[in-house]
Amino acid sequence: MSTPDLSKPYEPREVEERWYEFWERNGVFAASDEPGDERPAYVIPMPPPNVTGSLHMGHAQRCTLEDALIRWYRMRGYNTLWQPGIDHAGIATQTVVERQLQREGKTRHELGREAFEKRVWQWKEESGGRISLQQRVLGASPDWRRTKFTMDPGMSVAVREAFVRLHEEGLMYRATRLINWCPTCRTALSDLEVENEEGANGELFEFAYQVDGEDREIVVATTRPETMLGDTAVAVHPEDPRYTSLHGKFLVHPFVDRRIPIITDAILVDPKFGTGAVKVTPAHDFNDFATGKRHQLEEINIFQLDGTMNENAGPFQGLDRKRARTAVKKALEEKGLTRGVKPHQLTLPRCQRSGDIVEPMLSTQWFCKMGEMAKEAIAAVETGRTQIIPEEWVKTYNHFLENIQDWCVSRQLWWGHQIPAWHGPNGDIRVARERPPECTPENGWSQDPDVLDTWFSSALWPFATLGWPENTPALQRFYPTNPKQESDLETGYDILFFWVARMMMFGLHFMKEVPFRRVLLSGLIVDETGDKMSKVKGNVIDPLDLIHGAEFTEIVKKTLPGAPEAEALSKFKKAYPSAAAMGGHFPAFGTDALRFTLATFPPSNKRIALAPKRLEGNRHFINKIWNATRFALDQLEGYSWQELQQPRALYNRWILSRLANASRIANAGIHGFRIDEAANESYRFFWSDLCDWYLELTKTVFAEHSPFAADRDETRAVLAYVLEGALRLMHPLMPFVTEELWQRVPRPATRSASIAFGPYPGASEEKYRDLLAERDMDVVASAIGAARTIRAEHEIKWAHAVPLEFRTDAPEIASLLERVAFSAQVLTKSTTLPAVARLGGPRASGTAVSVVATYAGPVEVLVGLQGIVKKDEELARIERELKRLDKDIATVDKKLSGKGFVDRAPKEVVEQARDQRTQMLAARARLEESRRLADEL
RNA sequence: GGGCGCAUAACUCAGUGGUAGAGUGCAACCUUCACACGGUUGAAGUCGUAGGUUCAAGUCCUACUGCGCCCACCA
């Protein structure tokens, strides 16, 4: 094998761009539904990004976590399906295209429905695939051949099937009730699409209604004076003595020709609030609507669909809501009916999409009955058929489903799945999979113009993407009805209700089985100061800018378009203090560094603060992997892979044990959705164990005239084994750099074409676990560490050779240290005299000493510093060490003498404490001896 | 009104009842032959506050404070 041409620093872009195509060409991502394929299946339905969307940090996080899981399962021999797709995103997309039209001075109504839909499709074709391309940059490995768009013909079949079945079962019905109406989007919304903005400053406005035929009045309080135009009653509490004399009387509406009754209602009215009298507007308030039903009140709608006042508003007709409010107040004032204003905090219901204030409106819509399905979805989690991780979300999930209202699924939009219902001339309605032959336009039939909520099709995603309602091989293989299937749904907790809960309900309903075995919820990426990323704040970061590098001035042009550059820059730097310290731009961190960084956060953190500084550190890590591998390849030149024999040398046994340990932690971490644990252990293992210790120690083996030359063959075999294993260990987190290096590294002939096919280290490494080697290596490492400390404290130049000696009373430790003394010598850079390990014996004067407590007793570390070590300094140093030891001894003593510790603590814990005490006392005795010797300097 | 989360080194964060950890930053030294995107050593902690349980609490319980989020139709 020829030495690969590896340039010195790692250049991510150059490397990363090469491998994606290679993976696709080699079918790495492909899921198989061939009948002969016996592998167990593993499935993740990818949350389909919006067709309007472009890549943001959330996608990068999805990709990092899901790809890590998928690659891990794939490497372990699973038949993996990561199901990709795109969501048509009804309101969002329609809004975008309408805005385009607006710029051309057109409206969708001028265009007409058919032309408009064509236009949206055209736009989808142009830009809809962009995000998939961007996901490739992230190294995502879904089976692209199976990509689905929620408006694909197959998906439409599934949507119609689901709708019709629900209707047949009586679970899909049409009803006229109060719904959330967005006057800007001009459509009904589900409860979830309404965001309640808390703490808005409003006012509580009080005005009087005159009692009909009497010179009396009743004062009501309202936050929305304009709705009084739709008032059809005033309610008081039945037991409120202030109003008993008014029960059954009528009031005169000051602006419209209407007498409104005074009613008593104990549910609606809290006598302690306001004036104790409530105006009732059944057509525009959810409480009032219920009250109206209790008292058979008239429901008077006062709004047009665009939010302006209709003919029922009398003199105010035509005004929009805000104007109407002012006008009503003014008119009441003129009539002398206002009775005061108090400031009042209120929550404003806003449309998730447009931000407009949502209006409760009386409307006829399609509703999906949720009660029974919700119960099943709760039960499925309770019985563990689906596990929610982290578990703390179960409460939230249950609370949502226990209180769920029927789902308003119809939207007055043009972009989406048109509802498969046909309206006849006499108000007949036919629901069917296809237009029934008799329901022709000529006969006066027309299809319901409304479309379904985007989330309706999303709720079918796990099985509709597999071909449902047909019982396809893919459906049989990849839906959890297959017992040889494992599956996870990974997503941000923000769509737990929108998507996850609904998939649970529909999966259970239509497939009679949960749609996935586990729900993995992760937190949201926020800026470095903990604020949500948003365009307004100018703190949005495009993952591609981190991957390929970008000038801050370019970034803020995108995040705050149109804003003055200085202002935008200052906002950006405030949001990312560690970026500000980088100067004016992000360097190209590369995909692996970005993914690794995202992987190091526990997914369960609700907020994940993106600190660019961490990216820098992890880019350095990748560079370290690159350079370490280059170095190892030099050592392995001419090596051809051979079966690994059980090695003899301590450091070889040790590093194999450490790899086994790291593999164990990584496997447990990824499986338990603690990918951060896998990432951190990979980092620690590679940098600390492999680079800092193992590679340094092996330098002494490969050095000329090494006394360990006999271990060279063994060490090469171990190095090759560990290097190849370490790359596989890290592949799910850093796919590109590991593939690039793995392709150049010696490996068994049995391996496949790509590292992506694994195997993932685990069981086969376990047999090299060697706790004795780890224990011994600890002794060696701390002895060497003590020697380094002495050198550093006395400021011995690196190149200056000084004798090193270890002394111990334990023969086994002495021989252990004897064996590593040469390497210790290299690691502490004392070049002329060989370091030695001794049992007892006299000590040369002019040595600095440190004592290391080990399992077999203290080890004295002696560094000959004749002419350098100063008596006072040495004594002071020893005193410091003694002090530290005394503190530790006191801690253990306190514990051991503590009431009940010896009797009640576990035996191992007590024993460990006693051992520690013995060792520390022995070390202390040695140190005191050293102090006497130092005193003689 | 109900629910959830967070608070540990200067910063970003791990921590699973048993001697407080990492990365970054900081200080000193080192161009040393894979890597200065590096190496060695070091300093740095009232684990938010107050109680409680326990032989033992950063970890479990209670209350409180601060920050953040979600749900809810109170005029």
Side-chain angles (χ1 to χ4, degrees), chain A residues 20 29-30 46 67 74 82-84 135 140-145:
Chain A
Y20 202 86
F29 308 159
M46 183 193 287
D67 200 41
R74 187 182 291 131
W82 190 11
Q83 173 65 53
Q135 284 172 324
S141 64
D143 189 346
W144 292 115
R145 300 169 313 163

Side-chain angles (χ1 to χ4, degrees), chain A residues 74-86:
Chain A
R74 187 182 291 131
M75 288 176 81
R76 294 187 312 135
Y78 280 73
N79 179 12
T80 53
L81 170 59
W82 190 11
Q83 173 65 53
I86 306 272

Side-chain angles (χ1 to χ4, degrees), chain A residues 72 654-670 675 677-687 689-690 722 725-726 728-730 733 760-763 765-766 768-769 774:
Chain A
W72 181 64
W654 173 80
I655 194 65
L656 286 170
S657 183
R658 297 307 286 164
L659 176 62
N661 180 60
S663 304
R664 179 186 284 200
I665 291 170
N667 277 297
I670 300 177
I675 291 165
E677 290 180 352
N680 289 324
E681 176 59 18
S682 302
Y683 188 102
R684 200 207 53 72
F685 167 74
F686 197 93
W687 203 311
D689 291 346
L690 188 56
V722 170
R728 284 185 285 118
L729 179 77
M730 299 184 291
L733 304 175
Y760 197 76
E765 277 63 35
E766 237 354 78
Y768 294 115
R769 216 174 152 76
E774 298 212 12

Side-chain angles (χ1 to χ4, degrees), chain A residues 369-629:
Chain A
K369 214 172 252 178
M370 294 276 95
E372 279 308 310
M373 283 192 259
K375 269 184 203 154
E376 296 242 354
I378 292 169
V381 169
E382 235 158 43
T383 55
R385 286 161 75 197
T386 291
Q387 189 190 3
I388 296 180
I389 297 172
E391 211 185 337
E392 71 206 35
W393 287 104
V394 172
K395 259 192 183 175
T396 310
Y397 171 85
N398 285 342
H399 182 261
F400 169 71
L401 288 172
E402 280 158 10
N403 297 291
I404 195 166
Q405 303 294 309
D406 285 356
W407 177 11
C408 175
V409 294
S410 41
R411 297 287 176 277
Q412 287 63 53
L413 304 170
W414 287 354
W415 176 241
H417 292 285
Q418 197 168 348
I419 289 172
W422 284 264
H423 299 267
N426 307 317
D428 298 341
I429 296 175
R430 292 279 303 275
V431 171
R433 286 163 184 83
E434 302 293 340
R435 176 191 282 268
E438 66 277 19
C439 299
T440 57
E442 295 74 39
N443 295 340
W445 289 80
S446 60
Q447 187 170 1
D448 194 314
D450 291 352
V451 300
L452 287 162
D453 185 354
T454 288
W455 294 102
F456 188 89
S457 51
S458 312
L460 308 169
W461 190 248
F463 46 96
T465 50
L466 298 173
W468 185 87
E470 289 204 31
N471 192 17
T472 60
L475 189 63
Q476 291 168 37
R477 173 71 53 104
F478 295 116
Y479 198 80
T481 35
N482 171 13
K484 275 181 70 186
Q485 188 257 24
E486 287 179 49
S487 46
D488 290 323
L489 187 280
E490 193 280 335
T491 195
Y493 66 78
D494 53 332
I495 51 175
L496 176 60
F497 304 151
F498 277 110
W499 195 42
V500 181
R502 285 165 177 168
M503 281 191 288
M504 284 293 288
M505 290 190 282
F506 277 11
L508 284 160
H509 185 75
F510 293 111
M511 295 294 297
K512 307 294 167 216
E513 181 53 281
V514 294
F516 23 74
R517 292 292 169 196
R518 303 194 304 175
V519 173
L520 311 175
L521 293 171
S522 49
L524 270 31
I525 310 273
V526 295
D527 75 14
E528 198 169 357
T529 64
D531 279 348
K532 221 177 193 167
M533 286 192 193
S534 76
K535 286 243 156 135
V536 194
K537 286 181 195 146
N539 60 353
V540 176
I541 289 191
D542 181 344
L544 295 176
D545 288 341
L546 294 171
I547 292 170
H548 296 139
E551 296 295 325
F552 293 163
T553 48
E554 293 301 312
I555 293 173
V556 299
K557 252 181 228 162
K558 283 192 288 180
T559 53
L560 274 179
E565 188 176 288
E567 183 197 322
L569 262 178
S570 118
K571 272 192 178 178
F572 178 78
K573 287 187 174 175
K574 211 170 168 185
Y576 299 98
S578 78
M582 285 176 191
H585 72 284
F586 287 132
F589 292 115
T591 297
D592 285 331
L594 174 62
R595 287 179 49 150
F596 191 79
T597 303
L598 292 174
T600 56
F601 294 99
S604 57
N605 278 11
K606 277 199 161 181
R607 283 181 300 166
I608 293 168
L610 182 76
K613 198 76 203 167
R614 283 178 71 136
L615 275 161
E616 198 168 64
N618 290 325
R619 183 177 55 124
H620 293 175
F621 176 47
I622 289 164
N623 192 53
K624 185 81 176 177
I625 297 170
W626 181 258
N627 281 303
T629 306

